Structures are given as structure tokens and as C-alpha cells.
Amino acid sequence: MSNKNKPVHALRSVRPKKHKSNARNPGTVLACTAMQSFVCGTLLCVLLLCGFAFLLANTPLPLSLVRPFSCLAAAAGVALSSLFFSKKIGQRYLLCGVLCGLFYAACQLTAFFVMQGPAFWQNGSLLMAAVLMMSGLFGGAFAAARSVH
């Protein structure tokens, strides 16, 4: 009885297996975290803007409250974004909050400059930028306070 006619099966594959690592590139993790925090903050800002628009349309509130409501919605979005970003990064909470605030303030100043030209400094855009930076810092500080407990 000979085993010469039976096919031979390899126990292991000829190709070496690639080990999948759970550790991802830190740059990719940072970019994904930044994108997720941007989406969260933007969604909150849009929801608040819709709510404030509904409130202004259906109540006898004066339309002069449009600018404060929009500032409040943007500040809440930035605070949530910096809170989410700081918690996901897990270290240097205040720096993460300030960076989020600076990003949103730079975006806001750029948008004002594109829309209004060089005269955008006169319309309170610097105050709005300061509010965005402070709300980013607030989100980072809140994340730092929550991480201590």
C-alpha cells in the first residue's frame, strides 16, 4: 500500500502571513479625531441655528437677536468640538482646546475677509474670533476637569 497517489497538502501557506496591527499611524488617528470633532461641533451649531431660527420666526422676539444667537450657536459648536477632540486625544487638554478655537477663529476670520474685504475688521469680527477661541479653551478645560475625576 503506497501513498504515492494521494495529493500532498501543505499545512502552512507558502506566503508569509501579514500581521495586522491594531496600532494605527498617529497622524491618521489625529486626522480622524479632528474630522469627527469637526462634524460633532458643526452638527450642534447647525441644530442650534435651526432652533434659534424657529424661535425667532414664531415668537415676537426682536430680529436684533440674530447676531447674539448665531454667536451662541457657533460658540457651543466650538466648545463641543474641542471637548470631543480633547477627550479623544487624552492628553494636553487645554492645548487641544486652544487649537480647536484657533482653527475655528481662523476659519471665521477668513470667511469674513472673503465676504467683506479689508473692511471686515470694523464689524465685530475680532470679537467673534475671541469668543470662538475662548469657547475652544472652555471645551478643553472642561475635558481636563472631567478627566481628573
Side-chain angles (χ1 to χ4, degrees):
M1 297 236 160
S2 167
N3 288 337
K4 291 182 182 180
N5 293 336
K6 290 185 179 179
V8 176
H9 296 289
L11 294 177
R12 294 185 185 176
S13 175
V14 176
R15 294 183 202 136
K17 291 184 180 180
K18 293 180 182 178
H19 296 285
K20 292 183 180 181
S21 174
N22 288 337
R24 296 184 345 198
N25 184 6
T28 306
V29 172
L30 182 66
C32 288
T33 302
M35 187 58 72
Q36 288 172 350
S37 69
F38 176 76
V39 168
C40 287
T42 303
L43 284 176
L44 178 66
C45 182
V46 166
L47 288 175
L48 285 175
L49 284 174
C50 289
F52 290 147
F54 182 78
L55 185 69
L56 286 171
N58 295 321
T59 59
L61 291 173
L63 292 180
S64 61
L65 290 176
V66 168
R67 189 170 178 113
F69 280 165
S70 65
C71 182
L72 180 65
V78 171
L80 180 69
S81 179
S82 65
L83 173 71
F84 187 80
F85 185 68
S86 299
K87 285 297 242 184
K88 283 285 196 173
I89 295 297
Q91 57 187 358
R92 297 183 181 147
Y93 298 105
L94 293 178
L95 179 63
C96 291
V98 168
L99 288 177
C100 274
L102 282 174
F103 170 74
Y104 285 106
C107 290
Q108 181 261 338
L109 287 175
T110 303
F112 270 136
F113 181 73
V114 167
M115 294 298 291
Q116 298 174 354
F120 79 98
W121 298 105
Q122 301 169 355
N123 295 339
S125 61
L126 290 179
L127 182 62
M128 180 69 172
V131 167
L132 293 178
M133 287 174 38
M134 287 297 140
S135 63
L137 183 64
F138 173 75
F142 191 74
R146 297 281 299 176
S147 70
V148 172
H149 297 332

